[in-house]
Amino acid sequence: MFGIVRNSGRVRAALALAVVTVVTGCGALGATGSSPSSSGGGPEKTTLKVSILPTTDLAPFWLAQDEGYFRAEGLTVESVIAASGQASLAKAISGDADIAFSTYPPFFTARSTGAADMELVADATSVNAKSNAIVTVPNSPVKTIADLATAKIAITAKNTASDLLTRSIMQDHNVDFSKVKWVLIPLPNIAAALQQGQADAAYLPEPYITQAAKTAGAIPVIDINSGATQDFPLTGYGATRKWVKENPKTLAAFQRAMQKATHDATFDRAKVEPLLVRFAKIDEDTAKLLTLPGYGAILDSRRLQRVPDLLLQLGAIPSPIDVNSMIGPQAGR
């Protein structure tokens, strides 16, 4: 199983963010404990609903709730659990949630198909060393990445991060995926599917990598953090363009709280592990062993452009998308 890995580049980025935050006064409480949002009037909405998936990517969000960072910005934030990234987006589109957490592909496919006019409002995670992998089990016919060409590979759904990153890394290694039998299985069920031979290999993020290693003896075939998918943008938060336009102060308050929480989660793993046990429902041993993703809060258009470019290359969207057209206003920018 994968051990704990620190991503020095992400740490340096987080440190830089912390310095900017202190200088601009946009991410932390003042000496008196007052919120920066109080100087220009409070948020348009004081109760904010955010649709989420209970994964390790949410650690900064849970930290912001647990440590009172949202409360300090005048927000009461409620979690709305979604079954998938697409379902999370649907909740924001329908108004059941104000902000949606998801892997990035659904935001871009929604724009491409005209299903919704979404804006990205905060970054969440990137692929980190050993945080996402294609795995197999000892009795599987898959031993190397070349064996994936004719394998049954478990993913969550087509045109999701699991599908796109698997195909991308196979392409990097000149492995044809046209004959792959894609097996659609929810993440919690993949370890059992590998054990039972329903799949020969699977794409897994943490904490499922560590859990599958413990329950099914899963071993990595290849780390996703390599080649075209190294440090790949993985998850973020979005809202409809209409909501962003109508709630600029609410959005800025959410972003400030998330920036502070992301800094703390990056530098202090001890704050993260108990949250994973409580909210992601994993055991303490797994929380200690798993590899965390690379956390981020500020949206970088040059980095995020990799997502729609990959979607276009793999035929998941029909035409190019300029990420700059989808990035909403950011606190401190």
Side-chain angles (χ1 to χ4, degrees):
M1 100 188 55
F2 290 133
I4 296 170
V5 176
R6 303 284 184 183
N7 187 313
S8 59
R10 300 289 294 187
V11 170
R12 287 195 298 271
L15 180 57
L17 169 61
V19 172
V20 171
T21 298
V22 171
V23 172
T24 61
C26 66
L29 298 180
T32 62
S34 62
S35 164
S37 63
S38 62
S39 59
E44 296 84 2
K45 297 188 67 171
T46 56
T47 298
L48 192 64
K49 292 185 178 180
V50 181
S51 58
I52 64 167
L53 289 73
T55 71
T56 58
D57 305 270
L58 269 295
F61 175 81
W62 292 321
L63 185 63
Q65 284 186 314
D66 215 45
E67 296 289 324
Y69 299 161
F70 289 135
R71 187 168 58 253
E73 292 288 349
L75 299 176
T76 299
V77 175
E78 299 177 358
S79 300
V80 180
I81 303 298
S84 66
Q86 290 95 330
S88 182
L89 236 65
K91 290 182 183 296
I93 295 167
S94 67
D96 290 338
D98 300 296
I99 294 173
F101 167 86
S102 174
T103 57
Y104 279 114
F107 291 116
F108 294 106
T109 53
R111 165 63 71 88
S112 177
T113 61
D117 190 9
M118 302 296 295
E119 288 197 354
L120 303 174
V121 300
D123 193 21
T125 61
S126 293
V127 172
N128 207 350
K130 302 180 181 179
S131 66
N132 301 69
I134 300 173
V135 305
T136 188
V137 288
N139 62 348
S140 167
V142 171
K143 305 301 179 188
T144 69
I145 190 168
D147 298 330
L148 295 173
T150 56
K152 295 178 293 185
I153 303 178
I155 57 172
T156 56
K158 294 296 290 182
N159 294 331
T160 58
S162 61
D163 171 32
L164 296 166
L165 297 185
T166 298
R167 286 194 281 155
S168 178
I169 204 158
M170 289 176 69
Q171 186 171 267
D172 278 352
H173 289 78
N174 299 312
V175 179
D176 181 14
F177 48 75
S178 64
K179 296 181 180 178
V180 167
K181 181 178 180 182
W182 303 101
V183 186
L184 308 185
I185 302 175
L187 285 172
N189 301 337
I190 285 179
L194 287 169
Q195 274 185 311
Q196 296 162 12
Q198 297 172 24
D200 303 317
Y203 170 96
L204 284 179
E206 288 285 27
Y208 299 101
I209 295 173
T210 299
Q211 289 174 330
K214 292 171 68 175
T215 61
I219 51 177
V221 176
I222 189 164
D223 186 358
I224 294 295
N225 191 57
S226 60
T229 51
Q230 184 169 0
D231 298 325
F232 196 80
L234 193 59
T235 64
Y237 297 85
T240 64
R241 192 176 299 272
K242 179 177 183 291
W243 188 92
V244 170
K245 184 177 180 180
E246 293 175 353
N247 299 278
K249 294 178 183 177
T250 305
L251 175 59
F254 174 81
Q255 290 170 331
R256 286 191 295 266
M258 287 300 300
Q259 288 168 14
K260 179 172 171 52
T262 299
H263 168 268
D264 290 356
T266 301
F267 280 96
D268 193 349
R269 185 183 175 106
K271 287 186 175 181
V272 171
E273 290 177 8
L275 297 173
L276 299 182
V277 174
R278 286 170 55 195
F279 297 106
K281 306 303 182 184
I282 61 179
D283 61 81
E284 291 183 9
D285 288 342
T286 300
K288 287 181 171 63
L289 291 171
L290 64 82
T291 300
L292 295 175
Y295 294 126
I298 297 295
L299 295 165
D300 182 333
S301 62
R302 291 171 299 178
R303 188 177 68 85
L304 290 175
Q305 188 64 49
R306 297 172 65 188
V307 182
D309 287 353
L310 180 61
L311 288 166
L312 182 65
Q313 178 193 344
L314 295 175
I317 58 175
S319 57
I321 294 176
D322 180 3
V323 166
N324 285 298
S325 69
M326 290 184 62
I327 294 183
Q330 295 188 76
R333 287 288 182 98

